[in-house]
Every structure is written in structure tokens, then in C-alpha cells.
Amino acid sequence: LNAPINFIHKLNSADAVNRLSAEVKLIVSQVIMAIAELMNELIMTSFILVLLIYSEPLTVMYILMSFLLIFTIYFFSIKVKSNYYGLLNQKSRGKLIKIINEMIGGIKEIRIMNRESYFINNYNDTIKTLVKSATFTETINFTLKPLIGTFIISAVVIILLVNYNKDASLDMIIPVLALFGMASLKLL
């Protein structure tokens, strides 16, 4: 409402409705809940890391450094695509609402002018774009957990091999493996 009049004249009402209704709901449901969950996980992870560092400091440091290196590379490799598909998703949702509003508001004119195919094709193209961006997002969400699991299992196997080569007794290796196993289950 405080925007310049030129901005308001250029503003598409469908985009404004989308941003004011859907985006606010997404912020409340996803961002605030994600922050609460993140705080809970950070506290739990901190306690687990303190326990692991207390029991095996050198091994934990090697694992943490490897973990940070691998996931820094992973993060920077998907960051650009993630931003692109996020913007594409936002624009497509606005366009979809605009198409629906135009179809509903002008259904008589559309039928009289025989323009149904234009709106149907436009709607289908927008849906395809939304599916493409959602596919990328869901693929990233579903591959992250198995990637972390694979890394943790590899780390536990490496710990076992390193301790086995140090001629450590089985009585010393099993509690450490159990501790790392329980920590990995909680962290996943």
C-alpha cells in the first residue's frame, strides 16, 4: 500500500494475491517450524559431539573435517541450481494463479472467442515448469539423507579398520563403534 502508484498500476493482482496468501503461509509453516526443529537438533547434536569428542577426540576431528569438506562441496555444487529452481517455482505459482483467475473471470469471453486451447496450453506449460522445479527440490531432499548415511557408515568402517590396525583389543573397539553407531542413528 505504501508503494509508488506506478508500481501499483504495473502490479498483477494474481501475483499480489499469491504473495500475500501463499507465501505468508509458507513462511509460518516452514520457516518457523524449521527454526524450532533446527534448534532442537543443534542442542542434541552438540551433546552427542561432546560425548564423541570425550571418547575419541582424534577420530572425531578427522570425521568432522571430512564431513565439512564433502558437504561444502555438495552445498556449493547445488546452490546455483537451487536458487534458479526456487525462483522458477515462485514465478510459475504466480503465473498459475494468474491463468486460473483469467479463466474464471473471463470464461464467457473465452468460450465465445474459442480461446480454450490457449488457456489450456498455457496452464499445462506452467504445470510442467512447476513439476520440473519440484522434481529438483524433492530429489535434493531425498538424496541428502542417504548421502549422510553413506558417509557415516564409511566413517565407522574406517574407524574399525584404523583401530584394528593399531592392534586395539576388541573390547576397546566395540564400545567406540556402538557409540558412533548410536550417534549416527540420532543424527540421521
Side-chain angles (χ1 to χ4, degrees), residues 123-185:
Y123 180 83
N124 287 338
D125 290 342
T126 305
I127 291 294
K128 287 177 186 175
T129 305
L130 278 171
V131 167
K132 184 178 178 183
S133 66
T135 301
F136 175 79
T137 305
E138 292 302 317
T139 301
I140 295 300
N141 288 340
F142 286 126
T143 58
L144 190 58
K145 215 169 195 179
L147 186 64
I148 292 171
T150 302
F151 177 79
I152 290 173
I153 290 170
S154 301
V156 169
V157 169
I158 290 170
I159 292 168
L160 179 65
L161 291 174
V162 167
N163 284 333
Y164 184 73
N165 287 335
K166 287 183 181 178
D167 293 329
S169 70
L170 199 55
D171 293 339
M172 296 295 288
I173 294 173
I174 289 178
V176 172
L177 284 177
L179 182 60
F180 276 97
M182 292 305 292
S184 65
L185 284 176

Side-chain angles (χ1 to χ4, degrees), residues 78-93:
I78 66 163
K79 182 180 178 182
V80 173
K81 278 190 174 183
S82 183
N83 287 339
Y84 168 76
Y85 282 113
L87 288 173
L88 184 66
N89 192 344
Q90 184 180 13
K91 289 178 183 177
S92 296
R93 285 176 189 246

